[in-house]
Amino acid sequence: MSDSARDKEIVTRDGRATIVDVARRAGVSKSTVSLVLSGSSLVADATRQRVSAAMSELGYIYHRGAATLRGARSGVLGMVINDLSNPFFVEMAIGIEEACQGGAFIPFLANAAENSLRQLQVLRSMREHGAAGILLSPAIDTQLSELKPLLGDMPVVQVMRRLPGLKASVVAPENKEGARKATAYLIAQSHRRIAFVGGLASMTVRDERLAGYRAALDAARIPFDPALVIETMTSYAGGGTALPQLLNIAEPATAALCFNDVVAIGMMRALAAAGVAVGRDFSLVGFDDIEEARHTYPALTSVAVNGKNLGARAAQLLMRQLASGNFAPETVLCPATLVVRASSGAAPRTGASA
Amino acid sequence: MSDSARDKEIVTRDGRATIVDVARRAGVSKSTVSLVLSGSSLVADATRQRVSAAMSELGYIYHRGAATLRGARSGVLGMVINDLSNPFFVEMAIGIEEACQGGAFIPFLANAAENSLRQLQVLRSMREHGAAGILLSPAIDTQLSELKPLLGDMPVVQVMRRLPGLKASVVAPENKEGARKATAYLIAQSHRRIAFVGGLASMTVRDERLAGYRAALDAARIPFDPALVIETMTSYAGGGTALPQLLNIAEPATAALCFNDVVAIGMMRALAAAGVAVGRDFSLVGFDDIEEARHTYPALTSVAVNGKNLGARAAQLLMRQLASGNFAPETVLCPATLVVRASSGAAPRTGASA
DNA sequence: AGGATTTATTGGCACGTTCCAAATCAGACT
DNA sequence: AGTCTGATTTGGAACGTGCCAATAAATCCT
């Protein structure tokens, strides 16, 4: 009995069928099943169909672990995003997803929430699973030294954020130029006391945007006033906290360029609560142009970065590098254009300047 | 030469060190390294340290594929979310993430964007990688028959959404009761022409919320008018399209309960554009209470579901089931409470009723 | 001291897949 | 009939890790 019984029990163990089970069922060798799996043209049509039938009859599932063991690549891309509570990064993630549609890769997202320890765990886990590549927007306090050994030889594309010194491709918006344009626009609206609000000093993105702000001031011969530059958390709440420091001073600000839209919207709410008419008494400009910027009241003027496009470009770059095997770091800058809406306008005439 | 050379070359192949390489370097057997890896108390402290040192010297990375091959569980949870452009689901995902902090599991997120084909791919990929369990918010048009074989014996917890007939745990808000409370509140504000706006008929969540809406009407002896129930896409844009059908009719609506906040906010914008004062001329109530609801103007009255809590509860349930090995389906209902803000108020006295 | 028990360590096999070289087969041609 | 060619198919032999049974070393008990 034992011999015939062994022949009959096709599915071994805990219900998970293997290619050997499939092979036995279809009356071929496991090698043939493997060929069918990889879509090889070597196998005859009739055989292919017999094997496919056996697979679905047994509810076969491919065991990727066994495959990566033999060196096969896994077909997953890891995205590591750090601030999913900022809609901009969600739009970026969606852009990445969409760019991968129909391609050979499936992206998985992990949110590290600015926790660099968690970021390390997540990256390690992705590497352990044999991710083919990584799309990374590093946590604010990421240490280069701890990140480097973990990434090893995995192809990495940095999106939006960038870790100085990391030898990896970068896809980012023209932060400096965008901020310069926005500030120049406010100056053209005859604002002279223009604040820069939001973000923490350790963020490279903020450095770039701040540099654009200063460049525009310099070009207009407006002196830079450190009192008008305020660090905050990059959250709705953060935007609110900045307000007193801008209005309760000798020469109050009449306009603000915010580090991003989330901060701007938080600030807009605080302004409304303080009875200041945004767009008339005070001009507000955000950055990123998230979808919500169109729905605020008044609608928010913002520097459009197009997060979806940014994500898509990054995903395309990574997939192109994976396909070609050439991982030389590249830098892609995406345009940032000013979108004027109702939250900004001419400076009120009460100011000290002409 | 060949013999001594073979002994010296610790790291084989393409730079990836194995447990055997580590063992040789530390002067122990691979079994001992394996024990160190699993944190066993069997291994002596001195040995453990020697092994750990060897691991970091070689830049060893654990090969999870090989481990799952031997039957080990992978430590990843898969979350499959379908509408990441709805901030509610983002909040839910963050809740899941937070609940996994410090636990033994790392959650990976995949966005299927209501594409059931993609959802299948993503689920298959997660299963192939040996995910320990799945947190699923199924795509709208998911077919039970195609989902079932793919899930197989993987533990699944459905969050927010639910696929009728799927034998898996569910964590969801009290949709019916929440909608009932919101509608009763509008009735108490003396509204009589109350619309229900948004969502598509195929959504179970909508069915439940609509049922609550009807229950409140029935309790107040207000006749149900199908003309006041409008299907839309669950997007900002969708909310806007509904407006003409509510105002350009014989007895216009004076209030609306929206399927969710995104629809409500879209509708609020359309109302503002039409010159209708939200909160005075027209009362608007959303559902979910996403963070943005507090930032609209006027601030949006909404039925608070607490997406973070919902996600956290689901993650806890799944992890508890994984720890105990008992996968009997459970149902967890989370409270939904009405949060009144400025977007709703008493009905204008121009109406036909008392 | 000698066995019993505990504490550390170790080979070797198995897991499910891919790849390679080799084998088989069906015609076609010499 | 034998040989060649191209089209299919097939046995292994890895890949890196976990587990089990066995061993070696150290400690205990009487």
Side-chain angles (χ1 to χ4, degrees):
Chain A
M1 189 181 82
S2 76
D3 249 336
S4 68
R6 180 147 26 95
D7 276 351
K8 289 245 171 181
E9 61 160 334
I10 296 270
V11 175
T12 60
R13 262 168 330 287
D14 54 332
R16 184 149 186 172
T18 78
I19 58 170
V20 179
D21 300 321
V22 174
R24 205 177 313 167
R25 175 99 170 199
V28 295
S29 78
K30 64 182 163 43
S31 303
T32 304
V33 178
S34 178
L35 287 176
V36 171
L37 241 31
S38 63
S40 165
S41 59
L42 282 174
V43 48
D45 267 356
T47 315
R48 182 195 317 283
Q49 281 171 23
R50 210 144 29 92
V51 170
S52 302
M55 288 201 300
S56 57
E57 282 162 25
L58 295 180
Y60 166 76
I61 11 157
Y62 184 66
H63 196 308
R64 196 142 245 154
T68 58
L69 193 51
R70 272 298 285 166
R73 269 315 188 176
S74 94
V76 289
L77 296 185
M79 329 183 216
V80 179
I81 304 293
N82 266 285
D83 188 6
L84 223 49
S85 65
N86 180 347
F88 174 78
F89 284 104
V90 177
E91 290 179 9
M92 205 176 80
I94 291 175
I96 291 172
E97 288 263 0
E98 286 176 356
C100 291
Q101 291 275 9
F105 295 103
I106 297 190
F108 287 132
L109 171 66
N111 177 29
E114 308 294 7
N115 178 340
S116 64
L117 195 66
R118 186 142 190 90
Q119 176 174 264
L120 289 182
Q121 288 175 351
V122 152
L123 282 169
R124 174 170 25 240
S125 183
M126 284 175 168
R127 183 157 191 200
E128 285 177 358
H129 281 89
I134 296 286
L135 290 151
L136 176 64
S137 209
I140 294 177
D141 57 345
T142 304
Q143 297 299 316
L144 182 61
S145 58
E146 58 183 17
L147 194 60
K148 226 164 183 173
L150 212 55
L151 295 176
D153 56 345
M154 268 198 308
V156 175
V157 171
Q158 301 180 82
V159 213
M160 187 70 186
R161 293 180 179 177
R162 172 175 60 83
L163 186 61
L166 184 61
K167 198 166 161 293
S169 295
V170 178
V171 176
E174 291 181 328
N175 284 314
K176 183 176 176 187
E177 175 60 10
R180 193 201 58 73
K181 279 192 275 197
T183 311
Y185 154 77
L186 287 171
I187 294 171
Q189 299 280 24
S190 74
H191 291 277
R192 289 299 174 268
R193 298 287 291 166
I194 303 169
F196 184 92
V197 178
L200 301 173
S202 55
M203 306 169 73
T204 57
V205 175
R206 180 174 183 269
D207 288 347
E208 294 169 9
R209 294 181 179 177
L210 192 53
Y213 162 83
R214 294 194 62 159
L217 292 186
D218 288 354
R221 309 253 187 282
I222 300 178
F224 171 74
D225 181 354
L228 292 180
V229 175
I230 298 179
E231 288 189 45
T232 74
M233 300 267 89
T234 54
S235 61
Y236 291 103
T241 61
L243 201 53
Q245 306 174 59
L246 295 181
L247 300 185
N248 307 337
I249 55 177
E251 290 181 82
T254 65
L257 170 62
C258 292
F259 168 67
N260 68 15
D261 285 351
V262 172
V263 169
I265 291 167
M267 197 167 160
M268 182 184 285
R269 194 173 165 227
L271 283 162
V276 179
V278 175
R280 213 192 52 196
D281 300 343
F282 194 95
S283 287
L284 204 51
V285 178
F287 213 116
D288 294 346
D289 193 32
I290 62 177
E291 182 168 16
E292 190 181 345
R294 291 183 273 275
H295 302 303
T296 56
Y297 180 82
L300 181 65
T301 295
S302 188
V303 180
V305 159
N306 196 343
K308 274 197 188 184
N309 175 55
L310 203 70
R313 296 287 292 272
Q316 284 155 3
L317 172 57
L318 181 56
M319 289 191 292
R320 181 161 52 76
Q321 290 193 334
L322 286 169
S324 71
N326 173 19
F327 303 122
E330 297 176 40
T331 297
V332 177
L333 286 185
C334 297
T337 60
L338 183 68
V339 177
V340 177
R341 299 202 184 89
S343 72
S344 61
R349 277 170 310 184
T350 54
S353 64
Chain B
M1 188 180 82
S2 75
D3 248 338
S4 67
R6 181 147 25 95
D7 275 352
K8 287 246 171 180
E9 61 161 334
I10 296 270
V11 175
T12 59
R13 261 166 332 287
D14 54 332
R16 184 149 186 170
T18 79
I19 172 180
V20 179
D21 300 321
V22 174
R24 205 177 314 167
R25 175 99 170 201
V28 296
S29 78
K30 66 179 164 45
S31 301
T32 304
V33 178
S34 177
L35 288 176
V36 170
L37 241 32
S38 62
S40 165
S41 60
L42 282 174
V43 48
D45 267 354
T47 315
R48 182 195 315 283
Q49 281 171 23
R50 208 143 31 91
V51 170
S52 301
M55 288 201 299
S56 57
E57 282 163 25
L58 294 180
Y60 167 75
I61 10 157
Y62 185 64
H63 196 307
R64 198 140 242 157
T68 59
L69 194 49
R70 272 298 284 159
R73 270 315 189 176
S74 94
V76 289
L77 296 184
M79 329 184 217
V80 179
I81 304 292
N82 267 285
D83 189 5
L84 223 49
S85 64
N86 180 348
F88 173 79
F89 285 104
V90 176
E91 291 178 9
M92 206 176 79
I94 291 176
I96 291 172
E97 288 264 0
E98 286 176 356
C100 291
Q101 292 275 10
F105 295 101
I106 297 190
F108 286 131
L109 171 66
N111 177 29
E114 308 293 7
N115 178 340
S116 64
L117 196 65
R118 186 142 190 90
Q119 176 174 265
L120 289 181
Q121 288 176 350
V122 151
L123 282 170
R124 179 176 16 247
S125 183
M126 284 175 168
R127 182 157 192 201
E128 285 177 358
H129 281 90
I134 296 287
L135 290 152
L136 176 64
S137 209
I140 293 176
D141 57 344
T142 304
Q143 296 300 316
L144 182 60
S145 57
E146 57 185 16
L147 195 60
K148 225 162 184 174
L150 212 54
L151 296 175
D153 56 345
M154 267 197 309
V156 175
V157 171
Q158 302 179 82
V159 213
M160 188 69 186
R161 293 180 179 177
R162 172 175 61 84
L163 187 61
L166 185 61
K167 198 167 160 294
S169 295
V170 177
V171 176
E174 291 181 328
N175 284 314
K176 183 176 176 186
E177 175 60 9
R180 194 201 58 74
K181 278 192 275 197
T183 311
Y185 154 78
L186 287 171
I187 295 171
Q189 299 280 25
S190 75
H191 290 279
R192 289 299 174 270
R193 298 288 291 166
I194 303 170
F196 183 93
V197 177
L200 301 173
S202 55
M203 306 169 72
T204 57
V205 175
R206 180 174 183 270
D207 289 345
E208 294 169 8
R209 294 181 180 177
L210 192 53
Y213 161 82
R214 293 194 63 159
L217 292 186
D218 288 353
R221 308 255 187 282
I222 299 178
F224 171 73
D225 181 354
L228 292 179
V229 175
I230 299 179
E231 288 188 46
T232 74
M233 300 267 89
T234 53
S235 61
Y236 291 103
T241 62
L243 200 54
Q245 305 173 60
L246 294 181
L247 300 186
N248 306 336
I249 56 177
E251 289 182 80
T254 65
L257 170 62
C258 292
F259 169 66
N260 68 15
D261 285 352
V262 172
V263 169
I265 291 167
M267 198 167 159
M268 182 184 284
R269 195 174 164 227
L271 283 163
V276 180
V278 174
R280 213 193 51 197
D281 300 343
F282 194 94
S283 287
L284 205 51
V285 178
F287 212 116
D288 293 346
D289 194 32
I290 62 178
E291 182 168 15
E292 190 180 344
R294 290 182 274 275
H295 303 302
T296 57
Y297 180 81
L300 181 65
T301 296
S302 188
V303 180
V305 160
N306 195 344
K308 275 197 189 184
N309 175 56
L310 202 71
R313 295 286 292 272
Q316 284 155 4
L317 172 57
L318 181 55
M319 289 191 293
R320 180 161 52 75
Q321 290 193 334
L322 285 169
S324 71
N326 173 19
F327 303 121
E330 296 177 40
T331 297
V332 177
L333 286 185
C334 297
T337 60
L338 183 68
V339 177
V340 177
R341 299 204 184 87
S343 73
S344 61
R349 276 169 312 185
T350 54
S353 63

